[in-house]
Structure formats: C-alpha cells, structure tokens
Amino acid sequence: MKENEIIFQAINIKKEFDVTVALKGADITLKRGEIRGLIGENGSGKSTIMSIAAGMQSATSGEMVYKGKTWNPTSMIDANLQGISMILQEANTIPGITVAQNIFAGREKEFTSHGIVRIKKMIRAAQALLDKYEIGYIHAADQIDRYNFEDRKLIELVRCINENIEILVVDETTTALSHNGRNVLYKLIHQLAEAHKTVVLISHDIDEILEHCTSLTVLRDGEIMGELTKEDMQKSDIANKIRYLMIGREMTGDYYRSDYDSVCSEVSRLSFQHVTFGRIKDFNLEVHAGEIVGIGGLSGCGMHEIGRAGYGLEKLIEGKVLCDGKIVKSCKDAIKYGIGYISKNRDTEALILNGSIQDNIVLPSLPDLQKGIYISKKSEHMLSDKEIERFHIKCADGNQWVNTLSGGNKQKVSFAKWTAKGANIIIMDCPTRGVDVGVKQFMYQQIMEMKKAGNAILMISEELTELIGMSDRLLIMKDFEISGQFKRSSGLKPADMINYMV
Amino acid sequence: MFKEKIQSILKNICGALVLPVLMYVVMMIFCFQNGKMYYGSVAMWRSLISTIAASATCAYGIGIQFKSGRLDFSAGSVMLLSAIIAGNVSQMFGNNLIIFSLLCIFLCVLLNIGVAIVYIYGRLPIIIVTLGMALLYESITAVVFEGRGVNLTANSTLKSLTLFPLVLIPLVMSIFIYAIFTYWSVTGRQAQILANNQQAGVNIGINEQKNILVSYIYSGIILGLATMIYASTGIISASFSSLSSIGGMFTNLLPVFVGLILARFCGDTMGILLGVITMSLMEFAMKAVLKAELGSAVTTMMIGVFLLFINIADAKGAVFIKWVQSKLGK
Amino acid sequence: MAHQRAGKKISSDVKQNIIMFGGLVFCIIFFSIFTSLHGQSIWNPEKLSTLISDVIVTALLSVGAVFVYALGNIDISTGKQVGLYATLMVVIQQQTGSLLWGVLLSFLIAIFIAIVNAITGELLHIYAIIPSVVFMFVLSGLSTIIYSNLGCRSISLYNYDYSIFKNPWVMVGTLIIESLLVAFVFNKTMVGKYTKAIGANAISASQGGANIIKYKVMAYIVMGVCTVVASLFQMGYTASASDSTGTGYELNVMIALILGGMPLSGGMKSRVSSALVGAMTFSLLNVGLPLIGVPVNFTFMVKALIFMIVVLITCRKRGGVLPR
C-alpha cells in the first residue's frame, strides 16, 4: 500500500438518460492519499460519474478498474462494503427509525443470529462508531427525528465510513453543514488522506476546493475539461482559470449586471412586518419597486421559508405580509395583488411536468382569460405563444409537454407563468439552479429587464456569486434571522459574507 | 428514574386500554338498557373469541402491507378464493383438518405472490393492482367448482377451527408471525426503511422487489390462518359481478388503523389486537340488540364512520388540539 | 433534440387514440362477425335495444366520473349510490305519485356525499379512496335498513307511465346533452382546467391559484349529478328498484374508462370522449360475450382480465422506484 499508487480508474464513461447525455466519455484516475476536487457547474456530470463509481447507478458504456480488478458494483451497499462510499447531496437518512438502524441500513444481516435481528447489538456497534468520530453526543438508540439536518448528515457520514473504506466521495455536503460540522468533515477528510485513503470532494465552491484538495478536475457538460496539480493550484490567478474551464469561454458581455446603480423607487411593494412563524421570529423587510433584494445563506437558514411567506403559503403566528398595503393571507390573494412565486422545487412545485407548456404558462392567468365562464383556446394560445417567443423557449409548439424540456427551458416556463400574468412583484427561489450557463446569462438579462420595468424582485439563492452579481441589496440569513445587510458595490466578495452565514 | 419509568409504563397502559374499556362500558349500558343482560358474561367472551380470532388474523394479514404504505384491496378476494378451493377439496378428501389448514395457507401464499408479481412487474400504483387482482380472483370464484362457493357450516370437523379452543391456534400463530416480521426479521426492518424513505432505501441498495415479495409471503401465511377460520363461519358464496370481498376486508382495516395509532403506547402488534377487541365488542352488542341483519348493517355503518373519524383525528389531531387550546386560552 | 422530444409526445397522443378507438372498432368487428355466426346477431333490433339501455347507464355514469378520475381519485361508492337513489325515487313516488321529489332528494344527498368525499379526501391525503369506501358501507347499510323496513327486496313504481325512459331517442338525447355540457365544463371553463391541473400536480395547481378544496368539491358534485341522472334512467327502464340495484356499477365505470383510454392517475390527458367510447366498448362486451357462447359465470373473469391487460399496457410506469 504505497502512496501515489493508482487505486481507481474510470475509462470512457458514458451515461445517457433518454435523450439527455450526462457524461460524454469521461476518464478519471484516482491515487491513494489524494484529496481530489471535482468541480463544475450544475449539469456538468461531476455527481453522475462518482455515483456510477459508488454503485448508485450504472454507466451506459465504459469501464472501471478498482484495485486492479474490473469494477462493477451492484448497489451502493455492495460498493460500500468493498470500500467506495458516497455521501449524497439530498437528505438520505430515513425518518421514523433509530439512529442505529440508519447507520446500518441495508446491513441488518450482519446483526442477525439464528435469523433474528438483534437490535441491541446494532445499537452498541452504532454507538461505538459515533464515539469514534467524536460525535458521541448523538445517541444510537434515539429516533433519528430528534436530530437536526446537520446531525443527520453527520450520521450519514458515519454510515458511509467503515473499516474497509478506500475511497470516500463527498457530494456538495458542506453547504448543509455549519462551522462545526464542516470542521468534523474536513478533519475526517485529512485523516483519511494521511492514512493513504482517497477522498473525492465534489463542489462548486472554488475556495473550499483550493483550500482542502491536493488536485483538481474540472468538468463541463459531461466532459473533463482540465486537471490541475497541487503546483497549478498555488498559482495566483488560478480561480479565474478554473472559472474559465467551468464555463468554457471568457464571459463576453455581462454575465450579471454591469451597473452599480442601486437606486430604486421609494414605493414599497412587498412588506414583511414582524413576521413570525415556524422558527422565524419578527422578520421585517421592505421590497421596493424597481429593486432587486437578494437573500442568501446556508440552506436551512430560513430564507426559503421567507419566500413562501411572502407568497402567502405560510400561516403566520404573528405579523403580516402586505402588498401595497393589502394583507396577503393566501396565495390566491398574492396572485390577485400581482405577486408571482417561482419555487425552488421546480419539478414538484413550480411546474406541472405532465402537462403542456401552454397549460403551465396560462395557469395563473385563467381568471383573467375567462369571459363569463368560457375560456377560449385561442386566447390561451396567444398568451402562451407570446411568452414562448419572449423567452426563446426551445420547443416544437405550446402543446409540447414540459417534462421533455431541458432544465433551462423548464425554468423559462416557470418565469413565463408570471410574465404572462403581468405580475410585477416576483419572488424567485434559486432561479438558476440546474440551468446551464448560456441560459443563466439570458435569465439574468431578463431579470434586469424586469427591474428596469419597475418590478420588485425578491431573489433567494444559495449561490453567493449570483446574489452579489444581481442584487441591489443583499441580506444574509443565519439561524432564521437576518445577520447581515450589504449594499451593491463592486468590491463585494463571497469571502466577506461567510462570517455572517456560519 | 425508577418513578419515571413506572409513570411512563402506566401512561402506556392507560393510553392503550382507553378505547376498548370505553367501548365495553358504553356497549354494556346500551345492552342492559335493552334487556340483554348477558353482555359481559363468560358465554359472551366464549363466542366473542371466535369473532376476535377471525378479525385479528385478517387484520394482521392486511396490517403487514398497510405498514409499508400499501393499501391492499386484494386480501379479501385472496381469502375468498382460497376458502372456496380449500373447502371443496378438503370435503372431497374426507374433511381432513390438516389438509384443509395446509391448503388454506398454501393457496393464500400463492395468490398473494401473484399480486406481488403483478405489482413488481406491472409497475402500477398499488391500489390499481390490488383492485384489479381482487376482480380477477373474485371472477375465478365464479368459475371454479361451478361457482357454487362453499358451505362448511354443517361440517363439524372443519368447523371446529372456528370454536374455542381450536380457534386459538391460528390466532396465536398469526400474532407470533406478525411480531416476528415486525421486530425480528430482516425483511420487516428493511420494509420499515422502504416505507419511511423509499428513495433512500433504494439508493442504499435495499432490494425493493425481493422485499415486497417476501412481505407478501408473510402476509399470505397470516391470511391463510385467517381463511382457516373464515371459511367455516358462514355460507361462502362465489362472487358474480362485483367487489363483494372489499366490504369484508375493510371492516378489518379499522383495527389496523387503531393499532397503528395505539402503537405509540403498546406497539402495533398489541394495538391491532386491542382494536379488534373494541370492534368485536361493538358488533356483538349491535347484533344482540337489533335484528341480525340490521345489526350487521348498523355495525357496518358505524365502522365506516368510525374509520373516517379515526383517520381525520390522526391526520389533523395535533392541529385540532392546538386549535382547541388556543380557543380555550383566549 | 426538441423535435425528437416533440415526436415522443405526439406519439403518446396517438397511442391514447389507438387504444380508445382501436378497442371500440375491434369489438364492433369482432362481435358483428361472431355473434351472427353463433346465433343471434348483436345488431338485431331486440339486442340493439338491450345494448342501448346498457350503454346509457354506464355512459351517463362514466361521463361524470371523468371529473373525479381526472383528479386521480377512484370512487367505489357509485354502485351503492345508484341503488340508493333508485330506491328513494321509487319509494317517494309510491308515497307522492311524482318522481320529482325523489329526484330532488337524490340530488341533495349526492351533493352532500360529494362535499364530504372531497373535503375528507383532501384531509386524508394519501388514501383519498377511503371516504368513498366509507360511503359504500354506509349506503349499503342504509339500503338494508330501508328494505328491511319495507319487508321486501324489490319495489316498483305505482301507476306510472315509464315508457319515456325506454324511448331510445330520449336516452340517447339525454346522453348527448349531458356529454356536451360536461365536456364544455371540462375543457372550456376554469372548473375543468383546474381539475386536470390538480390531478396532474396538486401543489403546482395550488401555487398557481387553484383553491384545491373548492374545485375538488365541484368535481365531485359534477359526478354526483351525473350519478343521479343515471339512476333515474336505471330505475326508469324497469320502473323498479331492489336491494341489489347498482351492484358493481363502480366497476363498470372503471372498466369503461380504462377501455376508453382514460389514464387512471388523471391529469392533463383525461378526456370526456374516453368515457363515451369506453362505455360503448364495454357494453358491446357485456351484451356480446353471452351471445358468442361465453357462459354467464365466465363473463366476470373476461372483464377482469381485459381490465388487467389494458391497465398494464397503458399505465405501466417506467424506471425509478415502484409507485405507491
């Protein structure tokens, strides 16, 4: 077991889902003791290739070699037991059962004697593991529902790591963790590397990768764009070079906004007054006409809930949400007063996937289109065609179903719903998630048009660069309250905000 | 510490017994007012035991699937078809009790596997699969044995399974098998995982298809035990045109609901049994006071309404309690 | 790439049409040939009138059921509802001499059932079918009580000229009017569009401004009204009702809709035409199977098999975890 010995190789991996191509033939070589960073935009394939290595899905074509032998895991458990483990980005713990059952999920057979599962034995083994990783404050016999999101991620971490581990893949996990949690994770990563194990850190946070990784691979659109060594990573302008590789071209024209003029109207369109619900207490905010207010923070800081409250989706215990002085009690009110909401859960909330583009676009506008009780097909057509035109939505026509569209085009439909309605206060949550770079630029331009037309925009996002690039006023939230406010200026950097977020 | 433990045990016992005890008292008053003084006597319990066994075994069978989030409409038709085939075949073989019992279990397991396979390979929503299979199995009852169903009420050997003490055998066995599935089997534990977070369970690598198949085998065995009792309780007629088996199956769904709600006090195994006892107490009282047919009808209606209320209470109970508290506070 | 995808969508539309009309055309051809070979042709006037009366009730029910199935819900209480309404109409006619009050009472009950079904179904989320099962119980119990009190198992209209209900023009005319009205509401008004949206994705529909409970109630009311109309014709054909009237009708509706290409999960692909075409196909099966020599006790099995096969072909989910 020497350092720098090649432990894993993926050769010409292709992955296709129906018509989407996630990976176009990617090669990766991993060595022992490496902390490899995998960076790329959404849709670049960085999660896909490692999930194939970790047994979660299989490649359409290509080969893998692990420890000198052909590698073809049948499931994540199979891969886990043989040394490759992956922590996924989504919450992957199972509610309603104990911590111990979560840690050993799928491995119940190991605690079986005479065909009977011995729960007590499982609990003892689980607690030993928790103590080993210095998170012994979590009790293995407790129901997992008693623990918050971060503790559950740590429990997931414990699940993934066992004595056999050789390669640990961490997929965008750090965004969910607080300062403490991240430290536990980074410490673990470095411990593993020192013990000649390999870690793959998947992220789109360039700073994090530069700090902790020993080498770096950049992906874009399903292909490997570049590999950087430790020396490369020390160079001075490396962050820009990485960004160039990620995005693929010099940003011509403005990606975000070019102006630093954050003047807007004095008229407050959307007002949060002493809003209290869930874990949010006494939240206050005014969004003015022609203003883009951004809210950022770690996921779980409460910003998504504020967006929902602004649209009338949350029952307030105290305080109120006002739109032009009128109280917003439900989303029906919100729509009536001209508020639009683009949910961050695009496929499950914002859009009806099993429906046509036209049906989606006209949905909020139906009350306006009806004459008496009759709604003519022609009026629906005209409305949706106008929006398809405006947003350059790539489709055969308005009857095409939304689930056949790419991520970027789907997001355009989400926006089109509200421009069709004529909403002039738009709450957008993660507006460019899962959208490729070209479409992103287009969307930012559209948002600027909206601002210039006098709309009030509340932009909630987990991408700091996007918020810095677009907002007139940027709020950072932490633990369900506003922890910092920034005005638009050219000198703002994500590093300035981190302290307010963690 | 010790005092806390005693307190929590007492709380659990009270919570679990509230419902059956309440039902007993209310029904006793109802019966005594109507001149039926034998409510509460040993004779009542003797005859009740058969009803309890019949319902409980069925409830356990349905409960295994229900816990995994599968509302299984086919259970009734599985029992119906097995009863008809097993009953007729056993009569042909000289009323052999052992053959009858084994046939019941074997047939139920086989039919259940059929449902599981259609679900796994058909990839249809479970309600549609089980409704369709219920139709299919019921339609087969109209065809086998010339559609004459089966009548074991006069058959003293085979009927002995519905009477005390033999009736305890299937009852105890079904409790045992249900407990094994829930607490001690790998399949049961993994089923719990799949029920609580299906995608995560599959991601981790739990074989969903195998898990479903094995759980249907478990519930098939229990339904077989239930059929052993059910087959001799009355005239079993074949079904010629409609979903007649669903009604019977649903009356046994109520204890499952009750059981899952009481699970926080005493575990779902005991909870289901308590639910069955509660329901049987009500049914006995209704039948005693009103005419048999009428009594059935009223019981059915009350079960239906009860089912609805329990569901709503469970779903919105916390919200309702908060609302009441806020009103009282003001 | 966009055109490839568009191609896929169009072909699924075509697939739905093929199933819908293919089934009907196949049955027409099949039964035309084989019934005449076996004995009486299915188009012989006597059989034709049986066919029409069989279609009418199923079609009237199914057209209304489209609304509820578009929500993605299934209603198991339809049969018992028909039984109850028919019984009430006869009983009240016997007392008052007119059908009017019975029909009005039935409408009231139907609206009540619709409201309870919709509201509790919404509260219960996952198992929206449970309220309809509960009604199946309750109505069945009610029916038993009524007939037990009457002391008989079947009752007839007293001194009433019911030939109007046997007139094929009246039957077909009512069906056409009902279908046009329902189709109009379904396709051209907010009620129908929101219903389809709720069936496709309820959260998205509610965020788009639909009041879920209000439109669910309306959808159930449409079905309830159609059920009452169907019960009127069911009772009118024989001028009687019994404790087994309507048995299994919910099943007939399910099979008719499925044969007509209606997706059982509802949503945007639901169509009123599925109900009409499916009801015709179903009745052809119902009336035609005995005519080609299929013994009575086999017809149920044939229907069940057809149901399973068509459902497997049309509703199978590809990829991902097993559906719930």
Side-chain angles (χ1 to χ4, degrees):
Chain A
M1 198 164 70
K2 292 175 293 196
E3 190 165 352
N4 286 324
E5 176 195 337
I6 293 180
I7 187 169
F8 177 85
Q9 259 189 307
I11 305 166
N12 202 15
I13 305 282
K14 293 204 178 99
K15 179 67 182 171
E16 286 162 32
F17 295 101
D18 266 347
V19 202
T20 339
V21 180
L23 286 172
K24 290 181 189 158
D27 300 306
I28 282 202
T29 305
L30 296 172
K31 301 195 184 113
R32 283 191 189 282
E34 240 192 304
I35 303 180
R36 170 74 62 100
L38 230 57
I39 196 166
E41 289 281 304
N42 283 313
S44 57
K46 56 191 194 299
S47 296
T48 313
I49 191 168
M50 291 323 292
S51 67
I52 292 176
M56 193 169 113
Q57 49 188 335
S58 49
T60 312
S61 70
E63 287 164 23
M64 292 187 284
V65 178
Y66 172 54
K67 287 201 213 165
K69 296 203 271 278
T70 316
W71 175 239
N72 214 339
T74 49
S75 70
M76 278 182 90
I77 289 215
D78 185 26
N80 184 320
L81 290 173
Q82 297 194 58
I84 302 188
S85 291
M86 180 164 172
I87 307 178
L88 299 176
Q89 195 177 4
E90 313 88 50
N92 216 28
T93 50
I94 297 128
I97 53 179
T98 59
V99 171
Q101 279 175 280
N102 259 285
I103 292 180
F104 292 111
R107 293 166 57 185
E108 293 85 3
K109 269 221 165 74
E110 293 169 32
F111 298 93
T112 312
S113 53
H114 309 303
I116 300 180
V117 176
R118 304 260 176 222
I119 288 290
K120 289 226 168 69
K121 197 167 150 201
M122 199 191 271
I123 292 180
R124 271 198 302 266
Q127 193 66 55
L129 276 180
L130 289 164
D131 293 333
K132 179 171 158 196
Y133 293 109
E134 294 169 27
I135 40 176
Y137 63 89
I138 299 178
H139 300 298
D142 285 343
Q143 293 287 102
I144 201 170
D145 311 274
R146 301 179 68 180
Y147 294 101
N148 62 21
F149 191 76
E150 170 178 319
D151 287 332
R152 289 192 223 186
K153 267 289 162 203
L154 293 173
I155 293 170
E156 216 186 307
L157 192 62
V158 173
R159 176 169 76 208
C160 290
I161 302 179
N162 55 42
E163 316 84 60
N164 302 335
I165 193 147
E166 302 284 1
I167 303 179
L168 175 68
V169 183
V170 181
D171 189 355
E172 305 258 27
T173 305
T174 51
T175 44
L177 299 175
S178 72
H179 199 53
N180 278 333
R182 285 180 190 222
N183 283 343
V184 170
L185 184 59
Y186 293 144
K187 199 160 146 199
L188 185 64
I189 291 179
H190 288 287
Q191 271 177 354
L192 283 172
E194 268 160 49
H196 302 305
K197 311 285 181 192
T198 315
V199 178
V200 178
L201 193 56
I202 303 177
S203 176
H204 59 238
D205 183 346
I206 298 185
D207 296 316
E208 175 182 60
I209 290 217
L210 285 175
E211 193 185 326
H212 294 282
C213 298
T214 59
S215 54
L216 175 57
T217 303
V218 183
L219 288 101
R220 187 182 84 233
D221 281 336
E223 290 180 273
I224 309 279
M225 285 289 118
E227 310 237 351
L228 300 166
T229 61
K230 191 88 193 182
E231 296 81 55
D232 295 326
M233 287 161 73
Q234 314 278 28
K235 293 188 190 148
S236 57
D237 196 28
I238 192 63
N240 274 331
K241 175 148 192 241
I242 295 175
R243 227 170 264 130
Y244 171 71
L245 287 170
M246 276 167 74
I247 293 170
R249 52 191 154 98
E250 297 290 352
M251 295 311 298
T252 52
D254 304 309
Y255 190 52
Y256 302 117
R257 293 161 61 172
S258 53
D259 69 302
Y260 286 99
D261 171 18
S262 49
V263 164
C264 63
S265 159
E266 289 287 302
V267 179
S268 165
R269 300 300 312 278
L270 187 63
S271 170
F272 293 78
Q273 294 179 358
H274 305 295
V275 167
T276 306
F277 69 97
R279 293 169 67 170
I280 302 206
K281 291 187 177 43
D282 200 22
F283 185 89
N284 295 286
L285 175 63
E286 307 281 328
V287 184
H288 305 94
E291 187 183 22
I292 300 181
V293 175
I295 306 188
L298 299 175
S299 74
C301 67
M303 57 187 185
H304 303 297
E305 285 75 7
I306 294 292
R308 289 174 55 92
Y311 189 59
L313 288 173
E314 299 283 351
K315 253 208 162 55
L316 304 178
I317 299 181
E318 266 182 49
K320 46 196 178 197
V321 173
L322 296 172
C323 173
D324 298 331
K326 296 172 282 206
I327 303 186
V328 176
K329 282 198 285 265
S330 69
C331 63
K332 214 149 186 239
D333 286 343
I335 297 181
K336 204 165 67 175
Y337 301 150
I339 308 178
Y341 175 67
I342 302 174
S343 164
K344 77 178 191 325
N345 298 318
R346 187 170 54 224
D347 289 347
T348 52
E349 284 183 28
L351 294 174
I352 298 178
L353 288 180
N354 290 326
S356 67
I357 297 175
Q358 178 172 307
D359 288 327
N360 270 281
I361 293 182
V362 306
L363 189 64
S365 311
L366 286 177
D368 302 330
L369 287 178
Q370 63 177 357
K371 292 197 174 50
I373 55 168
Y374 174 68
I375 300 177
S376 79
K377 236 194 167 85
K378 189 161 157 213
S379 62
E380 290 183 317
H381 253 17
M382 277 177 25
L383 191 62
S384 88
D385 284 346
K386 199 169 86 183
E387 298 305 320
I388 294 178
E389 181 73 56
R390 181 211 303 245
F391 281 96
H392 303 310
I393 300 179
K394 267 213 194 97
C395 61
D397 64 19
N399 286 325
Q400 188 172 334
W401 274 34
V402 168
N403 61 6
T404 59
L405 295 174
S406 69
N409 282 309
K410 280 187 198 167
Q411 195 66 348
K412 287 182 186 174
V413 176
S414 306
F415 270 76
K417 278 167 70 171
W418 301 111
T419 46
K421 176 75 174 76
N424 44 35
I425 304 167
I426 315 246
I427 304 174
M428 45 181 85
D429 201 337
C430 300
T432 60
R433 182 153 83 174
V435 171
D436 65 69
V437 167
V439 177
K440 269 196 191 190
Q441 189 174 21
F442 178 75
M443 302 302 269
Y444 294 136
Q445 283 165 5
Q446 288 297 314
I447 296 176
M448 266 315 278
E449 302 274 317
M450 289 183 197
K451 168 189 154 81
K452 283 191 213 143
N455 292 343
I457 297 179
L458 183 59
M459 185 189 290
I460 301 166
S461 174
E462 288 169 11
E463 276 181 54
L464 276 183
T465 37
E466 170 178 78
L467 290 169
I468 293 176
M470 294 299 292
S471 320
D472 289 317
R473 237 192 321 148
L474 173 51
L475 283 76
I476 300 288
M477 282 184 72
K478 175 183 152 183
D479 287 334
F480 304 95
E481 47 185 22
I482 303 179
S483 59
Q485 267 210 54
F486 298 85
K487 252 189 111 105
R488 182 173 185 72
S489 89
S490 57
L492 275 184
K493 282 190 299 296
D496 301 335
M497 327 233 162
I498 295 282
N499 290 330
Y500 291 89
M501 283 169 48
V502 297
Chain B
M1 238 309 263
F2 190 56
K3 189 171 165 205
E4 274 172 18
K5 222 170 179 202
I6 297 274
Q7 262 185 351
S8 93
I9 292 182
L10 273 174
K11 189 175 107 183
N12 284 343
I13 294 183
C14 285
L17 290 179
V18 150
L19 206 55
V21 168
L22 199 62
M23 178 63 78
Y24 182 72
V25 168
V26 169
M27 289 296 134
M28 179 146 71
I29 298 176
F30 181 59
C31 277
F32 284 3
Q33 280 200 332
N34 282 289
K36 309 287 177 187
M37 306 303 276
Y38 52 80
Y39 198 83
S41 64
V42 176
M44 174 189 93
W45 286 110
R46 253 242 159 93
S47 108
L48 212 55
I49 253 278
S50 304
T51 330
I52 291 179
S55 287
T57 44
C58 194
Y60 282 123
I62 303 175
I64 289 190
Q65 297 308 329
F66 194 74
K67 274 202 306 189
S68 299
R70 292 188 282 271
L71 195 50
D72 190 343
F73 280 93
S74 64
S77 61
V78 164
M79 284 172 59
L80 183 66
L81 189 54
S82 311
I84 291 181
I85 296 182
N88 278 302
V89 170
S90 309
Q91 284 185 314
M92 288 193 311
F93 278 88
N95 297 327
N96 188 322
L97 202 58
I98 305 284
I99 292 189
F100 176 65
S101 310
L102 288 177
L103 260 181
C104 282
I105 297 180
F106 175 69
L107 286 167
C108 281
V109 171
L110 199 64
L111 293 172
N112 252 14
I113 291 180
V115 176
I117 291 182
V118 172
Y119 178 45
I120 293 173
Y121 289 105
R123 309 193 74 107
L124 301 161
I126 190 70
I127 289 186
I128 294 177
V129 171
T130 53
L131 267 178
M133 293 311 283
L135 287 176
L136 196 61
Y137 289 155
E138 279 194 27
S139 68
I140 296 180
T141 65
V143 168
V144 295
F145 295 107
E146 294 111 34
R148 63 168 180 249
V150 75
N151 184 351
L152 299 172
T153 48
N155 188 324
S156 53
T157 342
L158 295 183
K159 203 175 163 175
S160 58
L161 276 172
T162 60
L163 304 166
F164 192 84
L166 279 184
V167 80
L168 286 178
I169 300 182
L171 176 62
V172 169
M173 278 179 72
S174 59
I175 298 180
F176 197 49
I177 296 178
Y178 187 85
I180 292 181
F181 178 81
T182 311
Y183 301 118
W184 295 313
S185 72
V186 172
T187 311
R189 291 291 177 183
Q190 290 188 341
Q192 204 182 7
I193 290 179
L194 287 170
N196 292 352
N197 189 341
Q198 192 184 13
Q199 187 66 58
V202 171
N203 280 347
I204 292 173
I206 296 180
N207 187 336
E208 203 183 9
Q209 298 178 335
K210 182 168 147 205
N211 187 282
I212 290 177
L213 199 59
V214 175
S215 75
Y216 264 93
I217 292 178
Y218 269 96
S219 63
I221 297 177
I222 301 183
L223 286 179
L225 293 166
T227 311
M228 278 159 60
I229 305 175
Y230 162 72
S232 323
T233 45
I235 304 176
I236 312 284
S237 39
S239 172
F240 282 91
S241 64
S242 73
L243 296 166
S244 54
S245 64
I246 294 202
M249 174 231 139
F250 255 85
T251 49
N252 291 316
L253 192 58
L254 182 62
V256 177
F257 273 112
V258 171
L260 290 176
I261 293 174
L262 292 181
R264 66 191 79 143
F265 295 120
C266 56
D268 54 347
T269 318
M270 268 303 115
I272 290 183
L273 191 60
L274 289 170
V276 170
I277 293 178
T278 311
M279 232 187 60
S280 305
L281 286 170
M282 178 171 80
E283 191 176 351
F284 189 86
M286 290 295 144
K287 279 220 170 96
V289 172
L290 308 161
K291 277 184 285 173
E293 221 183 73
L294 210 56
S296 269
V298 174
T299 315
T300 315
M301 282 172 69
M302 291 186 65
I303 288 179
V305 177
F306 214 43
L307 228 156
L308 204 56
F309 274 119
I310 285 210
N311 261 295
I312 298 182
D314 193 41
K316 299 288 168 182
V319 176
F320 183 67
I321 290 176
K322 267 199 207 135
W323 179 80
V324 169
Q325 280 175 340
S326 71
K327 290 281 175 210
L328 288 175
K330 292 203 183 129
Chain C
M1 198 193 283
H3 288 271
Q4 232 176 335
R5 308 260 198 159
K8 260 191 170 179
K9 187 261 171 179
I10 290 169
S11 76
S12 87
D13 231 7
V14 169
K15 191 167 145 196
Q16 193 181 16
N17 281 331
I18 289 181
I19 294 175
M20 208 163 96
F21 292 104
L24 183 62
V25 168
F26 173 76
C27 279
I28 292 180
I29 297 179
F30 181 81
F31 285 111
S32 300
I33 301 177
F34 285 95
T35 53
S36 1
L37 282 181
H38 196 263
Q40 243 184 354
S41 163
I42 195 168
W43 303 114
N44 151 327
E46 204 184 284
K47 288 297 162 195
L48 199 56
S49 84
T50 317
L51 197 60
I52 295 184
S53 69
D54 197 74
V55 170
I56 286 300
V57 174
T58 310
L60 288 170
L61 286 172
S62 307
V63 165
V66 169
F67 258 87
V68 169
Y69 278 75
L71 287 174
N73 292 346
I74 297 182
D75 195 322
I76 283 204
S77 63
T78 312
K80 295 282 182 266
Q81 279 188 44
V82 170
L84 182 69
Y85 300 149
T87 306
L88 282 176
M89 288 180 201
V90 173
V91 166
I92 293 182
Q93 192 273 345
Q94 284 180 344
Q95 306 289 329
T96 65
S98 149
L99 278 175
L100 184 62
W101 297 110
V103 172
L104 281 178
L105 180 61
S106 301
F107 274 123
L108 279 176
I109 297 180
I111 293 181
F112 171 73
I113 292 180
I115 296 179
V116 173
N117 251 333
I119 296 185
T120 51
E122 182 57 20
L123 286 179
L124 293 178
H125 282 299
I126 320 174
Y127 301 122
I129 199 175
I130 290 188
S132 89
V133 177
V134 169
F135 274 114
M136 185 175 86
F137 280 3
V138 171
L139 295 178
S140 142
L142 264 179
S143 179
T144 311
I145 294 178
I146 293 179
Y147 280 100
S148 175
N149 275 337
L150 289 172
C152 58
R153 304 198 66 167
S154 135
I155 47 180
S156 306
L157 288 181
Y158 183 69
N159 228 5
Y160 195 88
D161 176 18
Y162 58 93
S163 58
I164 189 176
F165 293 115
K166 293 176 77 159
N167 181 332
W169 298 113
V170 171
M171 290 199 263
V172 172
T174 317
L175 181 60
I176 292 183
I177 297 179
E178 181 185 285
S179 308
L180 286 175
L181 278 175
V182 172
F184 174 75
V185 175
F186 197 61
N187 295 320
K188 300 274 184 237
T189 66
M190 258 166 60
V191 177
K193 288 180 188 292
Y194 275 155
T195 302
K196 280 190 265 195
I198 294 174
N201 185 339
I203 302 182
S204 192
S206 84
Q207 282 189 11
N211 182 334
I212 305 268
I213 292 192
K214 174 172 157 197
Y215 288 99
K216 270 196 165 176
V217 168
M218 287 203 201
Y220 271 95
I221 288 182
V222 170
M223 179 169 182
V225 166
C226 294
T227 308
V228 173
V229 175
S231 313
L232 186 60
F233 277 88
Q234 167 68 30
M235 180 239 24
Y237 196 71
T238 54
S240 67
S242 75
D243 62 353
S244 64
T245 305
T247 312
Y249 280 23
E250 58 273 351
L251 190 61
N252 298 352
V253 168
M254 261 202 299
I255 299 183
L257 287 174
I258 251 286
L259 286 175
M262 172 91 178
L264 283 179
S265 48
M268 297 294 191
K269 270 186 163 176
S270 321
R271 303 194 211 174
V272 173
S273 49
S274 296
L276 288 172
V277 172
M280 282 192 265
T281 315
F282 176 73
S283 292
L284 276 170
L285 274 172
N286 231 2
V287 176
L289 281 175
L291 288 180
I292 58 171
V294 174
V296 171
N297 49 354
F298 273 86
T299 44
F300 190 14
M301 195 157 83
V302 174
K303 286 191 210 171
L305 276 171
I306 292 181
F307 178 76
M308 282 310 307
I309 294 175
V310 178
V311 155
L312 280 170
I313 298 178
T314 53
C315 297
R316 193 165 186 270
K317 179 189 176 222
R318 259 153 301 196
V321 294
L322 286 174
R324 278 286 169 81

